[in-house]
Amino acid sequence: MKLNVGWFSFTCCEDSTIVFIELMNERFFEWRKLINFKYFRTFKSNNSIDDLDIAFVEGAISSRKEEETLRKIRENSKKLVAIGSCACTGSPANQRNFFDEKTKNEIQFILDRFNHKEFVLPLSDLVKVDDYISGCPMDEKIFLAKLDQYFKEFELINA
Ligand code: SF4
């Protein structure tokens, strides 16, 4: 038995994804026995969001399409974990929320063209978030400790 994991990136610079890929240099063989990556577009082309045990979600939500996808991920995941500051708090990906009126007017055509929301939001404004791993990018020590905790919760390693 393995943990069915999805890794998702929304509006952000994707640095926590890079941290995770770098961790694989040391952990790949250990994780291969414990994790089934069902969705990870950075290194897989064949992806599915069905029946996820854990969805790790990086980035803030800025468009209606992202919101729809996030809600779909929530419906299909036992646990949803916000990864990094943008997902946890919205910042710094939400800088446009604080633009003055003049600057907002200047970018409005981009928001209209790409069906963006009025504000860029953290995940918890839209769906239930089960856990948070903060940092910009995510703190890798906290991530590794949490991952161990999830392996125990899902009974893949002994508590
Ligand atoms: S939290 Fe920081 S590192 Fe992560 S996506 Fe946002 S800006 Fe990038």
Side-chain angles (χ1 to χ4, degrees):
M1 199 178 119
K2 293 186 184 184
L3 200 63
N4 285 325
V5 162
W7 185 280
F8 303 89
S9 295
F10 289 106
T11 298
C12 68
C13 71
E14 303 193 16
D15 264 14
S16 294
T17 298
I18 301 301
V19 170
F20 185 82
I21 300 277
E22 282 178 356
L23 285 170
M24 279 199 174
N25 286 328
E26 291 163 23
R27 305 284 178 138
F28 177 77
F29 292 103
E30 176 194 336
W31 287 347
R32 196 171 59 166
K33 289 183 230 147
L34 298 169
I35 299 176
N36 174 28
F37 288 106
K38 291 197 77 174
Y39 192 107
F40 207 135
R41 286 182 61 192
T42 308
F43 62 71
K44 277 184 69 183
S45 51
N46 184 14
N47 291 288
S48 161
I49 67 163
D50 294 335
D51 291 327
L52 297 176
D53 292 316
I54 304 184
F56 293 107
V57 182
E58 172 191 39
I61 301 300
S62 61
S63 70
R64 285 171 191 83
K65 187 158 181 269
E66 287 186 346
E67 177 177 351
E68 203 180 294
T69 307
L70 177 67
R71 292 191 189 281
K72 221 180 272 174
I73 292 165
R74 177 66 274 185
E75 279 168 25
N76 284 282
S77 309
K78 294 191 181 89
K79 187 187 272 290
L80 190 148
V81 180
I83 293 286
S85 175
C86 291
C88 294
T89 71
S91 287
N94 64 357
Q95 287 180 43
R96 75 168 163 85
N97 292 358
F98 311 103
F99 285 179
D100 59 27
E101 277 312 308
K102 181 175 170 286
T103 314
K104 274 185 186 166
N105 289 337
E106 276 173 21
I107 64 162
Q108 189 59 47
F109 77 99
I110 300 172
L111 305 192
D112 294 342
R113 184 181 300 166
F114 296 102
N115 209 10
H116 279 295
K117 297 170 72 66
E118 185 180 358
F119 295 106
V120 181
L121 301 172
L123 307 185
S124 59
D125 277 15
L126 298 166
V127 296
K128 177 175 172 274
V129 173
D130 300 301
D131 209 353
Y132 297 85
I133 299 177
S134 59
C136 180
M138 71 171 179
D139 183 315
E140 65 178 66
K141 283 201 186 92
I142 296 174
F143 176 78
L144 289 171
K146 293 270 186 182
L147 193 55
D148 266 348
Q149 178 194 316
Y150 305 148
F151 287 146
K152 287 173 192 160
E153 266 175 42
F154 284 86
E155 298 181 346
L156 289 161
I157 59 175
N158 293 328

